[in-house]
Amino acid sequence: MEPGDGRPFETVTLYGVPFAKMDMRRTVEYLTRAVETRRPHRVVTANPIMVMAALRDPAFLWAIATADLVVPDGTGIVWAARRAGQPLPERVAGYDLMHELLKVGDSRGWRVYLLGAAQDVAEAAAANLARRYPGVHIAGWRNGYFSDEDDDAVVEEIRRAAPDLLFVARSLAKQEPWLARHGERLGVPVMMGVGGSFDVVAGKLKRAPAAFRRLGLEWLFRLLQEPRRIGRMAVLPVFALKVLRDGEKALRYPKPGGDDRQL
Ligand code: UDP
């Protein structure tokens, strides 16, 4: 069985990453049920940078492909699925999904734990979310700069806080493998990596204005705000060319050492 099979919703698998064929509304409903039934779900919001990283690194592919739910966070993913002949309903941006879940949590008194970013950022993000969603109970927060030796203590702290939602805002390279390793022990109904979202919630970085998002240019806004991202973003045109070249071959699971991994 390949990762992607056996999920209670349809998926479109791009280079081995099984994206859920659900729009934002259905995604939120699905995860609301996860909280209600207390069934742990590891959620990955995957973008083209992550898919490219997964093609280079089978361990990273495994960390994201074995998630319970992978949502298409990025216009590039929606475009690629259409090119491959298996369209996805819409982009489900991680930042928006986080807020949609918090909105539901606001009316249902859910507990939320924030893990990641610098200490002052995590603290400001917690304070801002508490103000914006007074019905949400902030069950705890902790910065994302800790070593592997601290993992057990961090997992214990989160288990004791018993959140309904756990948002992890460490770098992409760290947050997904960390959740893949510890998700089962954490046992939180919704566990989701949210990248740089705490920096936006804390007011340290700005989200791209709607016009940029509509035009699929969120990446450009982020680049203008944080030019150090240029190295990471260099893979975006490589991804686009690969999708154009591969056509429906993009839907195949990449074989270890096989041609599909060639970039
Ligand atoms: N971050 C963290 N621990 C780390 C590395 C990064 O908590 O070891 C936080 C960082 O402070 C920021 C977020 O993760 O709030 C996203 O970081 P970055 O933009 O470098 O990563 P990306 O999401 O682009 O991979």
Side-chain angles (χ1 to χ4, degrees), residues 137-195:
H137 181 81
I138 305 286
W141 69 87
R142 189 191 203 291
N143 72 68
Y145 293 88
F146 53 89
S147 66
D148 295 353
E149 288 87 72
D150 298 322
D151 279 355
D152 285 346
V154 174
V155 168
E156 231 359 85
E157 186 181 316
I158 296 169
R159 281 172 59 85
R160 263 201 309 275
D164 300 291
L165 308 175
L166 166 64
F167 297 121
V168 182
R170 300 177 88 193
S171 66
L172 300 181
K174 268 191 199 160
Q175 67 194 18
E176 310 309 341
W178 194 83
L179 276 173
R181 201 170 321 128
H182 301 293
E184 216 165 299
R185 249 190 329 146
L186 286 161
V188 178
V190 176
M191 304 171 261
M192 180 167 119
V194 292

Side-chain angles (χ1 to χ4, degrees), residues 42 50 76 147:
R42 184 159 59 83
M50 291 160 83
S147 66

Side-chain angles (χ1 to χ4, degrees), residues 47 49-50 115-119 121-122 142-146 168-175 194-200 204-205 222 226 228-229 232:
N47 59 30
I49 294 178
M50 291 160 83
L115 176 66
Q119 187 66 20
V121 173
R142 189 191 203 291
N143 72 68
Y145 293 88
F146 53 89
V168 182
R170 300 177 88 193
S171 66
L172 300 181
K174 268 191 199 160
Q175 67 194 18
V194 292
S197 295
F198 293 176
D199 294 282
V200 179
K204 208 178 131 200
L205 288 179
R222 288 197 82 175
E226 295 175 279
R228 69 182 169 86
R229 289 187 170 273
R232 245 168 305 184

